[in-house]
Coordinates of all heavy atoms in Angstrom, one line a residue:
M1467 N -4.8 6.3 -23.9 CA -3.6 5.5 -23.9 C -2.5 6.4 -23.4 O -2.4 7.6 -23.7 CB -3.3 5.2 -25.4 CG -2.4 4.1 -25.6 SD -3.2 2.6 -25.1 CE -2.2 1.4 -25.7
L1468 N -1.6 5.9 -22.6 CA -0.5 6.6 -22.0 C 0.7 6.5 -22.9 O 1.0 5.4 -23.4 CB -0.2 6.1 -20.6 CG -1.3 6.2 -19.6 CD1 -0.9 5.5 -18.3 CD2 -1.7 7.6 -19.4
I1469 N 1.5 7.6 -23.1 CA 2.7 7.5 -23.9 C 3.9 8.1 -23.1 O 3.7 9.0 -22.2 CB 2.6 8.2 -25.2 CG1 2.2 9.7 -25.0 CG2 1.6 7.5 -26.1 CD1 2.5 10.5 -26.2
H1470 N 5.0 7.6 -23.3 CA 6.3 8.0 -22.7 C 6.8 9.2 -23.3 O 6.9 9.3 -24.6 CB 7.3 6.9 -22.7 CG 8.5 7.1 -22.0 ND1 9.7 7.5 -22.7 CD2 8.9 7.1 -20.7 CE1 10.6 7.6 -21.8 NE2 10.2 7.4 -20.6
I1471 N 7.1 10.3 -22.6 CA 7.6 11.6 -23.2 C 9.0 11.9 -22.7 O 9.5 13.0 -22.9 CB 6.7 12.8 -22.9 CG1 6.5 13.0 -21.4 CG2 5.3 12.6 -23.5 CD1 6.0 14.4 -21.0
G1472 N 9.7 10.9 -22.2 CA 11.1 11.0 -21.8 C 11.3 11.0 -20.3 O 10.5 11.5 -19.5
F1473 N 12.4 10.4 -19.9 CA 12.9 10.3 -18.5 C 11.8 9.8 -17.5 O 11.7 10.3 -16.4 CB 13.4 11.7 -18.1 CG 14.4 12.3 -19.0 CD1 14.1 13.3 -19.8 CD2 15.7 11.8 -18.9 CE1 15.1 13.8 -20.7 CE2 16.7 12.3 -19.8 CZ 16.3 13.3 -20.7
G1474 N 11.1 8.8 -18.0 CA 10.1 8.2 -17.1 C 8.8 8.9 -17.0 O 8.0 8.6 -16.1
N1475 N 8.6 10.0 -17.7 CA 7.4 10.8 -17.7 C 6.4 10.3 -18.7 O 6.8 10.0 -19.8 CB 7.7 12.3 -17.9 CG 8.7 12.8 -16.8 OD1 8.3 12.8 -15.6 ND2 9.8 13.2 -17.2
I1476 N 5.1 10.2 -18.3 CA 4.1 9.7 -19.2 C 2.9 10.6 -19.2 O 2.5 11.2 -18.2 CB 3.7 8.3 -18.6 CG1 4.9 7.4 -18.6 CG2 2.5 7.7 -19.4 CD1 4.7 6.1 -17.9
V1477 N 2.3 10.8 -20.4 CA 1.0 11.6 -20.5 C 0.0 10.8 -21.1 O 0.2 9.8 -21.9 CB 1.3 12.9 -21.2 CG1 2.3 13.8 -20.5 CG2 1.7 12.7 -22.6
N1478 N -1.3 11.2 -20.9 CA -2.4 10.6 -21.6 C -2.5 11.2 -23.0 O -2.8 12.3 -23.2 CB -3.7 10.9 -20.8 CG -4.9 10.2 -21.3 OD1 -4.9 9.7 -22.4 ND2 -6.0 10.3 -20.5
S1479 N -2.3 10.3 -24.0 CA -2.3 10.8 -25.4 C -3.6 11.3 -25.9 O -3.7 12.1 -26.8 CB -1.8 9.7 -26.3 OG -2.6 8.6 -26.3
S1480 N -4.7 10.8 -25.2 CA -6.1 11.3 -25.7 C -6.3 12.7 -25.2 O -7.3 13.3 -25.7 CB -7.1 10.4 -25.2 OG -7.2 10.4 -23.8
K1481 N -5.5 13.3 -24.3 CA -5.7 14.6 -23.8 C -4.8 15.7 -24.5 O -4.9 16.9 -24.3 CB -5.4 14.7 -22.3 CG -6.3 13.8 -21.5 CD -7.7 14.2 -21.6 CE -8.6 13.3 -20.7 NZ -10.0 13.5 -20.8
I1482 N -4.0 15.2 -25.5 CA -3.1 16.1 -26.2 C -3.8 16.8 -27.3 O -4.4 16.2 -28.2 CB -1.9 15.3 -26.8 CG1 -1.0 14.7 -25.6 CG2 -1.0 16.3 -27.6 CD1 0.1 13.8 -26.1
I1483 N -3.7 18.2 -27.3 CA -4.3 18.9 -28.4 C -3.2 19.2 -29.5 O -3.5 19.1 -30.7 CB -4.8 20.3 -27.9 CG1 -6.0 20.1 -27.0 CG2 -5.2 21.2 -29.1 CD1 -6.5 21.3 -26.3
A1484 N -2.0 19.5 -29.1 CA -1.0 19.8 -30.1 C 0.4 19.5 -29.5 O 0.6 19.5 -28.3 CB -1.0 21.3 -30.4
I1485 N 1.3 19.1 -30.4 CA 2.7 18.9 -30.1 C 3.5 19.8 -31.0 O 3.5 19.6 -32.2 CB 3.1 17.4 -30.3 CG1 2.2 16.5 -29.5 CG2 4.6 17.2 -29.9 CD1 2.4 15.0 -29.9
V1486 N 4.2 20.8 -30.4 CA 4.8 21.9 -31.2 C 6.3 22.0 -30.8 O 6.7 21.7 -29.7 CB 4.1 23.2 -31.1 CG1 2.7 23.1 -31.7 CG2 4.0 23.7 -29.7
S1487 N 7.0 22.6 -31.7 CA 8.4 23.0 -31.4 C 8.4 24.3 -30.5 O 7.6 25.2 -30.8 CB 9.2 23.2 -32.7 OG 10.4 23.7 -32.5
P1488 N 9.4 24.4 -29.6 CA 9.4 25.5 -28.7 C 10.1 26.7 -29.3 O 10.3 27.8 -28.6 CB 10.1 25.0 -27.5 CG 11.1 24.0 -28.1 CD 10.3 23.4 -29.2
D1489 N 10.5 26.7 -30.5 CA 11.4 27.7 -31.1 C 10.7 29.0 -31.5 O 11.3 30.1 -31.5 CB 12.2 27.2 -32.3 CG 13.0 26.0 -31.9 OD1 13.5 26.0 -30.7 OD2 13.2 25.1 -32.7
S1490 N 9.4 29.0 -31.9 CA 8.8 30.2 -32.4 C 8.4 31.1 -31.2 O 8.2 30.7 -30.1 CB 7.5 29.8 -33.2 OG 6.5 29.4 -32.3
A1491 N 8.3 32.4 -31.5 CA 8.0 33.4 -30.5 C 6.6 33.2 -29.9 O 6.5 33.3 -28.7 CB 8.1 34.8 -31.1
P1492 N 5.6 32.9 -30.7 CA 4.3 32.6 -30.1 C 4.3 31.5 -29.1 O 3.6 31.6 -28.0 CB 3.3 32.3 -31.3 CG 4.0 33.0 -32.4 CD 5.5 32.8 -32.2
V1493 N 5.0 30.4 -29.4 CA 5.1 29.3 -28.5 C 5.8 29.7 -27.2 O 5.5 29.3 -26.1 CB 5.7 28.0 -29.1 CG1 5.9 26.9 -28.1 CG2 4.8 27.6 -30.3
K1494 N 6.9 30.4 -27.4 CA 7.7 30.9 -26.2 C 6.8 31.8 -25.3 O 6.8 31.7 -24.1 CB 8.9 31.7 -26.6 CG 10.0 30.8 -27.2 CD 11.2 31.7 -27.7 CE 12.2 30.8 -28.3 NZ 13.4 31.5 -28.8
R1495 N 5.9 32.6 -25.9 CA 5.0 33.5 -25.1 C 4.0 32.6 -24.4 O 3.6 32.9 -23.3 CB 4.3 34.5 -26.0 CG 5.2 35.6 -26.4 CD 4.4 36.8 -27.0 NE 3.8 36.4 -28.3 CZ 4.3 36.5 -29.5 NH1 5.5 37.0 -29.7 NH2 3.6 36.2 -30.5
M1496 N 3.5 31.6 -25.1 CA 2.5 30.7 -24.5 C 3.1 30.0 -23.3 O 2.5 29.9 -22.2 CB 2.0 29.6 -25.5 CG 1.0 28.7 -25.0 SD 0.5 27.4 -26.2 CE 2.1 26.6 -26.5
V1497 N 4.3 29.5 -23.4 CA 5.0 28.8 -22.3 C 5.2 29.7 -21.2 O 5.0 29.4 -20.0 CB 6.3 28.1 -22.8 CG1 7.1 27.6 -21.6 CG2 6.0 27.0 -23.8
Q1498 N 5.7 31.0 -21.5 CA 5.9 32.0 -20.4 C 4.6 32.3 -19.7 O 4.6 32.4 -18.4 CB 6.6 33.2 -21.0 CG 7.0 34.2 -19.9 CD 7.9 33.7 -18.9 OE1 8.8 32.9 -19.2 NE2 7.7 34.0 -17.6
S1499 N 3.5 32.5 -20.4 CA 2.2 32.8 -19.8 C 1.8 31.6 -18.9 O 1.3 31.8 -17.8 CB 1.2 33.0 -20.9 OG -0.1 33.2 -20.4
A1500 N 2.0 30.4 -19.4 CA 1.6 29.2 -18.6 C 2.5 29.1 -17.4 O 2.0 28.7 -16.3 CB 1.7 27.9 -19.5
R1501 N 3.7 29.5 -17.4 CA 4.6 29.5 -16.3 C 4.1 30.4 -15.2 O 4.0 30.1 -14.0 CB 6.1 29.9 -16.6 CG 6.9 28.8 -17.2 CD 8.4 29.2 -17.3 NE 9.1 28.4 -18.2 CZ 9.6 27.2 -17.9 NH1 9.4 26.7 -16.7 NH2 10.3 26.5 -18.8
E1502 N 3.7 31.6 -15.7 CA 3.1 32.6 -14.7 C 1.9 32.2 -14.1 O 1.6 32.5 -12.9 CB 2.9 33.9 -15.5 CG 4.2 34.6 -15.9 CD 4.1 35.7 -16.9 OE1 2.9 36.0 -17.3 OE2 5.1 36.3 -17.3
K1503 N 1.0 31.4 -14.8 CA -0.2 30.9 -14.3 C 0.0 29.6 -13.5 O -0.9 29.2 -12.8 CB -1.2 30.6 -15.4 CG -1.7 31.8 -16.2 CD -2.6 31.3 -17.3 CE -2.9 32.4 -18.2 NZ -3.6 32.0 -19.4
G1504 N 1.2 29.0 -13.6 CA 1.4 27.8 -12.8 C 0.9 26.6 -13.5 O 0.6 25.6 -12.8
T1505 N 0.7 26.6 -14.8 CA 0.1 25.5 -15.5 C 1.1 24.7 -16.4 O 0.7 24.0 -17.3 CB -1.1 25.9 -16.4 OG1 -0.7 26.9 -17.3 CG2 -2.2 26.4 -15.5
V1506 N 2.4 25.0 -16.2 CA 3.5 24.3 -16.9 C 3.9 23.0 -16.1 O 4.1 23.1 -14.9 CB 4.7 25.2 -17.2 CG1 5.9 24.4 -17.6 CG2 4.4 26.2 -18.2
I1507 N 4.1 21.9 -16.8 CA 4.7 20.7 -16.3 C 6.0 20.5 -17.0 O 5.9 20.3 -18.2 CB 3.7 19.5 -16.4 CG1 2.4 19.8 -15.7 CG2 4.4 18.3 -15.9 CD1 1.3 18.8 -16.0
D1508 N 7.1 20.7 -16.3 CA 8.4 20.6 -16.9 C 8.9 19.1 -16.8 O 9.3 18.7 -15.7 CB 9.4 21.5 -16.3 CG 10.7 21.6 -17.0 OD1 11.0 20.7 -17.8 OD2 11.4 22.6 -16.7
A1509 N 8.8 18.4 -17.9 CA 9.3 17.0 -17.9 C 10.6 16.8 -18.6 O 10.9 15.7 -19.1 CB 8.2 16.1 -18.5
T1510 N 11.4 17.9 -18.6 CA 12.7 17.8 -19.3 C 13.9 17.3 -18.5 O 14.9 17.0 -19.0 CB 13.1 19.2 -19.8 OG1 13.2 20.1 -18.7 CG2 12.0 19.8 -20.8
Q1511 N 13.7 17.3 -17.2 CA 14.7 16.9 -16.2 C 16.0 17.7 -16.4 O 17.1 17.2 -16.4 CB 15.1 15.4 -16.4 CG 13.9 14.4 -16.2 CD 13.5 14.3 -14.8 OE1 13.5 15.3 -14.0 NE2 12.9 13.2 -14.5
G1512 N 15.8 19.0 -16.7 CA 16.9 19.9 -16.8 C 17.5 20.0 -18.2 O 18.5 20.7 -18.5
R1513 N 17.1 19.2 -19.1 CA 17.6 19.2 -20.5 C 16.9 20.3 -21.3 O 16.0 20.9 -20.8 CB 17.3 17.8 -21.2 CG 17.7 16.6 -20.5 CD 19.2 16.5 -20.4 NE 19.8 15.2 -20.1 CZ 19.5 14.4 -19.1 NH1 18.7 14.7 -18.2 NH2 20.1 13.2 -18.9
K1514 N 17.4 20.5 -22.5 CA 16.8 21.5 -23.4 C 15.4 21.1 -23.8 O 15.2 19.9 -24.2 CB 17.7 21.7 -24.6 CG 17.1 22.7 -25.6 CD 18.0 22.9 -26.8 CE 17.4 23.9 -27.7 NZ 18.1 23.9 -29.0
T1515 N 14.5 22.0 -23.8 CA 13.1 21.7 -24.2 C 13.1 21.6 -25.7 O 13.5 22.5 -26.4 CB 12.1 22.8 -23.8 OG1 12.1 22.9 -22.4 CG2 10.7 22.6 -24.3
K1516 N 12.6 20.4 -26.2 CA 12.5 20.2 -27.7 C 11.1 20.1 -28.2 O 10.9 20.2 -29.4 CB 13.3 19.0 -28.1 CG 14.8 19.1 -27.8 CD 15.5 17.9 -28.3 CE 17.0 18.0 -28.0 NZ 17.7 16.8 -28.4
S1517 N 10.2 19.9 -27.3 CA 8.8 20.0 -27.7 C 7.9 20.4 -26.6 O 8.2 20.3 -25.4 CB 8.3 18.6 -28.2 OG 8.4 17.7 -27.1
V1518 N 6.8 21.0 -27.0 CA 5.8 21.5 -26.1 C 4.4 20.8 -26.4 O 4.0 20.9 -27.5 CB 5.6 23.1 -26.2 CG1 4.5 23.6 -25.3 CG2 6.9 23.8 -25.9
L1519 N 3.9 20.2 -25.4 CA 2.6 19.5 -25.5 C 1.5 20.4 -24.9 O 1.6 20.7 -23.7 CB 2.6 18.2 -24.9 CG 3.4 17.1 -25.5 CD1 4.9 17.3 -25.2 CD2 3.0 15.7 -25.0
V1520 N 0.5 20.8 -25.7 CA -0.6 21.5 -25.2 C -1.7 20.5 -24.9 O -2.1 19.8 -25.8 CB -1.1 22.6 -26.3 CG1 -2.2 23.4 -25.7 CG2 0.1 23.4 -26.7
M1521 N -2.2 20.5 -23.7 CA -3.2 19.6 -23.2 C -4.6 20.2 -23.2 O -4.7 21.4 -23.2 CB -2.8 19.1 -21.8 CG -1.3 18.6 -21.7 SD -0.9 17.2 -22.8 CE -1.7 15.9 -22.0
E1522 N -5.6 19.3 -23.2 CA -7.0 19.8 -23.1 C -7.3 20.7 -22.0 O -8.1 21.6 -22.1 CB -7.9 18.5 -23.1 CG -8.2 17.9 -24.4 CD -9.2 16.7 -24.3 OE1 -9.6 16.4 -23.1 OE2 -9.5 16.2 -25.3
N1523 N -6.7 20.4 -20.8 CA -7.0 21.2 -19.6 C -6.2 22.5 -19.5 O -6.0 23.0 -18.4 CB -6.9 20.3 -18.4 CG -5.5 19.8 -18.2 OD1 -4.6 20.1 -19.0 ND2 -5.3 19.0 -17.2
S1524 N -5.7 23.0 -20.5 CA -4.8 24.2 -20.6 C -3.5 24.0 -19.9 O -2.7 25.0 -19.7 CB -5.5 25.4 -19.9 OG -6.7 25.6 -20.6
Q1525 N -3.1 22.8 -19.6 CA -1.7 22.5 -19.1 C -0.8 22.5 -20.3 O -1.2 22.2 -21.4 CB -1.7 21.1 -18.4 CG -2.5 21.0 -17.2 CD -1.8 21.6 -16.0 OE1 -1.1 22.6 -16.0 NE2 -1.9 20.9 -14.8
V1526 N 0.4 22.9 -20.0 CA 1.5 22.9 -21.0 C 2.6 22.0 -20.5 O 3.1 22.2 -19.4 CB 2.0 24.3 -21.3 CG1 3.2 24.3 -22.3 CG2 0.9 25.2 -21.9
V1527 N 2.9 21.0 -21.3 CA 3.9 20.0 -20.8 C 5.2 20.2 -21.7 O 5.1 20.2 -22.9 CB 3.4 18.5 -20.9 CG1 4.5 17.6 -20.5 CG2 2.1 18.4 -20.2
L1528 N 6.3 20.3 -21.0 CA 7.6 20.5 -21.8 C 8.3 19.2 -21.8 O 8.4 18.5 -20.8 CB 8.5 21.6 -21.1 CG 7.8 22.9 -20.8 CD1 8.8 23.8 -20.1 CD2 7.3 23.5 -22.1
S1529 N 8.9 18.8 -22.9 CA 9.6 17.5 -23.1 C 10.9 17.7 -23.7 O 11.0 18.6 -24.6 CB 8.7 16.5 -23.9 OG 9.5 15.4 -24.1
A1530 N 11.9 16.9 -23.4 CA 13.2 16.9 -24.1 C 13.2 16.1 -25.3 O 14.3 16.0 -26.0 CB 14.3 16.5 -23.1
L1531 N 12.1 15.4 -25.7 CA 12.1 14.6 -26.9 C 11.6 15.5 -28.1 O 10.8 16.5 -27.8 CB 11.1 13.5 -26.7 CG 11.5 12.4 -25.7 CD1 10.5 11.3 -25.7 CD2 12.9 11.9 -26.0
L1532 N 12.0 15.2 -29.3 CA 11.5 15.9 -30.4 C 10.0 15.7 -30.7 O 9.5 14.6 -30.4 CB 12.3 15.5 -31.7 CG 13.8 15.8 -31.7 CD1 14.5 15.1 -32.9 CD2 13.9 17.3 -31.8
P1533 N 9.4 16.7 -31.3 CA 7.9 16.5 -31.6 C 7.7 15.3 -32.4 O 6.7 14.6 -32.2 CB 7.6 17.8 -32.3 CG 8.6 18.8 -31.8 CD 9.8 18.1 -31.6
E1534 N 8.5 15.1 -33.4 CA 8.3 13.9 -34.3 C 8.4 12.6 -33.5 O 7.6 11.7 -33.8 CB 9.4 13.9 -35.4 CG 9.3 15.1 -36.3 CD 10.0 16.3 -35.8 OE1 10.7 16.3 -34.8 OE2 9.9 17.4 -36.4
T1535 N 9.2 12.5 -32.5 CA 9.3 11.3 -31.7 C 8.0 11.1 -30.9 O 7.5 10.0 -30.9 CB 10.5 11.4 -30.7 OG1 11.7 11.6 -31.5 CG2 10.7 10.1 -29.9
I1536 N 7.5 12.1 -30.3 CA 6.3 12.0 -29.5 C 5.1 11.7 -30.4 O 4.3 10.8 -30.1 CB 6.1 13.3 -28.7 CG1 7.2 13.4 -27.7 CG2 4.7 13.2 -28.0 CD1 7.2 14.7 -26.9
A1537 N 5.1 12.4 -31.6 CA 4.0 12.2 -32.5 C 4.0 10.7 -33.0 O 2.9 10.1 -33.1 CB 4.1 13.1 -33.7
G1538 N 5.2 10.2 -33.2 CA 5.3 8.8 -33.7 C 4.8 7.8 -32.6 O 4.1 6.8 -32.9
R1539 N 5.0 8.1 -31.3 CA 4.6 7.3 -30.2 C 3.0 7.4 -30.1 O 2.4 6.4 -29.8 CB 5.2 7.7 -28.9 CG 6.7 7.4 -28.9 CD 7.4 7.8 -27.7 NE 8.8 7.4 -27.8 CZ 9.7 7.6 -26.8 NH1 9.3 8.1 -25.7 NH2 11.0 7.3 -27.0
V1540 N 2.5 8.6 -30.3 CA 1.0 8.8 -30.3 C 0.4 8.0 -31.4 O -0.6 7.2 -31.2 CB 0.6 10.2 -30.3 CG1 -0.9 10.4 -30.5 CG2 1.1 11.0 -29.1
Q1541 N 1.0 8.1 -32.6 CA 0.4 7.3 -33.7 C 0.6 5.8 -33.5 O -0.3 5.1 -33.9 CB 1.1 7.8 -35.0 CG 0.7 9.2 -35.4 CD 1.5 9.7 -36.6 OE1 2.5 9.2 -37.0 NE2 1.0 10.8 -37.2
G1542 N 1.7 5.4 -33.0 CA 1.9 4.0 -32.7 C 0.9 3.5 -31.7 O 0.4 2.4 -31.8
S1543 N 0.6 4.3 -30.7 CA -0.4 3.8 -29.7 C -1.8 3.8 -30.3 O -2.5 2.9 -30.0 CB -0.3 4.7 -28.4 OG -0.9 6.0 -28.7
A1544 N -2.1 4.7 -31.2 CA -3.4 4.7 -31.8 C -3.5 3.4 -32.7 O -4.5 2.8 -32.8 CB -3.6 5.9 -32.6
Q1545 N -2.4 3.1 -33.4 CA -2.4 2.0 -34.3 C -2.5 0.7 -33.5 O -3.3 -0.2 -33.9 CB -1.1 1.9 -35.1 CG -1.0 0.8 -36.1 CD -2.1 1.0 -37.2 OE1 -2.4 2.1 -37.7 NE2 -2.7 -0.1 -37.6
T1546 N -1.8 0.6 -32.4 CA -1.9 -0.6 -31.5 C -3.3 -0.7 -31.0 O -3.9 -1.9 -31.0 CB -1.0 -0.4 -30.3 OG1 0.3 -0.3 -30.8 CG2 -1.0 -1.6 -29.4
R1547 N -4.0 0.4 -30.7 CA -5.4 0.3 -30.2 C -6.3 -0.2 -31.3 O -7.2 -1.0 -31.0 CB -5.8 1.7 -29.7 CG -7.1 1.7 -28.9 CD -7.4 3.0 -28.3 NE -6.8 4.1 -29.0 CZ -6.6 5.3 -28.5 NH1 -6.9 5.6 -27.3 NH2 -6.1 6.3 -29.2
E1548 N -6.1 0.3 -32.5 CA -6.9 -0.1 -33.6 C -6.7 -1.6 -33.9 O -7.7 -2.4 -34.2 CB -6.6 0.7 -34.9 CG -7.2 2.1 -34.8 CD -6.8 2.9 -36.1 OE1 -6.3 2.3 -37.1 OE2 -6.9 4.1 -36.0
D1549 N -5.5 -2.1 -33.9 CA -5.2 -3.5 -34.1 C -5.8 -4.4 -33.1 O -6.1 -5.5 -33.4 CB -3.7 -3.7 -34.2 CG -3.0 -3.0 -35.4 OD1 -3.7 -2.7 -36.3 OD2 -1.8 -2.9 -35.4
S1550 N -5.9 -3.9 -31.9 CA -6.5 -4.8 -30.8 C -8.0 -4.7 -30.7 O -8.6 -5.4 -29.9 CB -5.9 -4.4 -29.5 OG -6.3 -3.1 -29.1
G1551 N -8.6 -3.8 -31.6 CA -10.0 -3.7 -31.6 C -10.6 -2.9 -30.5 O -11.8 -3.1 -30.1
V1552 N -9.9 -2.0 -29.9 CA -10.3 -1.3 -28.7 C -10.8 0.1 -29.1 O -11.1 0.9 -28.3 CB -9.2 -1.1 -27.7 CG1 -9.6 -0.4 -26.5 CG2 -8.6 -2.5 -27.3
E1553 N -11.0 0.4 -30.4 CA -11.4 1.7 -30.9 C -12.3 2.5 -30.0 O -13.4 2.1 -29.7 CB -12.0 1.6 -32.3 CG -11.1 1.0 -33.3 CD -11.7 0.9 -34.6 OE1 -12.5 1.7 -35.0 OE2 -11.4 -0.1 -35.3
G1554 N -11.8 3.7 -29.6 CA -12.7 4.7 -28.9 C -13.2 4.4 -27.6 O -14.1 5.0 -27.1
T1555 N -12.7 3.4 -26.9 CA -13.2 3.1 -25.6 C -12.3 3.8 -24.6 O -11.2 4.2 -24.8 CB -13.1 1.6 -25.2 OG1 -11.8 1.1 -25.3 CG2 -14.0 0.8 -26.2
D1556 N -12.9 4.1 -23.4 CA -12.3 4.8 -22.3 C -11.9 3.8 -21.3 O -12.8 3.0 -20.8 CB -13.2 5.9 -21.8 CG -12.5 6.8 -20.8 OD1 -11.3 6.5 -20.5 OD2 -13.2 7.8 -20.4
E1557 N -10.6 3.8 -20.8 CA -10.2 2.8 -19.8 C -11.0 2.9 -18.5 O -11.1 2.0 -17.8 CB -8.7 3.0 -19.5 CG -7.8 2.6 -20.6 CD -7.3 3.8 -21.4 OE1 -7.0 4.8 -20.7 OE2 -7.1 3.7 -22.6
R1558 N -11.6 4.1 -18.2 CA -12.3 4.2 -17.0 C -13.7 3.5 -17.0 O -14.3 3.3 -16.0 CB -12.5 5.7 -16.7 CG -11.2 6.4 -16.3 CD -11.4 7.9 -16.2 NE -11.7 8.4 -17.5 CZ -12.1 9.6 -17.8 NH1 -12.3 10.5 -16.8 NH2 -12.2 10.1 -19.0
E1559 N -14.2 3.2 -18.2 CA -15.5 2.6 -18.3 C -15.5 1.1 -17.8 O -14.6 0.4 -18.0 CB -16.1 2.7 -19.7 CG -16.3 4.1 -20.1 CD -16.9 4.3 -21.4 OE1 -16.3 3.7 -22.4 OE2 -17.9 4.9 -21.6

């Protein structure tokens, strides 16, 4: 399921491992390391980074939305999928 992470940017919610706040030193180091490796996707459109999404493929996505907002959208999309009876299917199949 795709979710909106701000400013027209969308990610695959099934590939998200963690949604964290960027304020702690370990997360700042992780983001800096990912920048050096070229695996950061900056979806903030120049705004302040309020959440960091860690993806399955080691990509790090920066968003200007709060972690709670994104988590709510992920949970909402999961609930919608359950309500529609689509549990656990992959759109590519």
Side-chain angles (χ1 to χ4, degrees):
M1467 201 71 165
L1468 300 175
I1469 59 162
H1470 183 258
I1471 60 165
F1473 305 106
N1475 299 297
I1476 300 170
V1477 297
N1478 185 347
S1479 63
S1480 65
K1481 302 293 183 186
I1482 298 173
I1483 294 174
I1485 305 169
V1486 295
S1487 172
D1489 299 330
S1490 71
V1493 175
K1494 288 179 182 180
R1495 285 192 299 268
M1496 179 183 61
V1497 170
Q1498 185 58 39
S1499 174
R1501 280 191 198 279
E1502 291 167 1
K1503 293 177 188 173
T1505 58
V1506 167
I1507 299 171
D1508 189 346
T1510 61
Q1511 303 289 32
R1513 308 293 200 300
K1514 180 180 177 188
T1515 300
K1516 293 184 182 175
S1517 63
V1518 177
L1519 289 76
V1520 182
M1521 309 300 284
E1522 280 183 355
N1523 60 0
S1524 300
Q1525 294 277 39
V1526 175
V1527 181
L1528 308 178
S1529 174
L1531 297 181
L1532 291 171
E1534 295 83 8
T1535 303
I1536 296 172
R1539 292 178 183 184
V1540 170
Q1541 290 173 343
S1543 70
Q1545 184 64 37
T1546 302
R1547 192 172 28 198
E1548 286 177 13
D1549 290 346
S1550 66
V1552 181
E1553 296 179 36
T1555 61
D1556 188 355
E1557 290 103 35
R1558 293 175 285 171
E1559 295 182 305

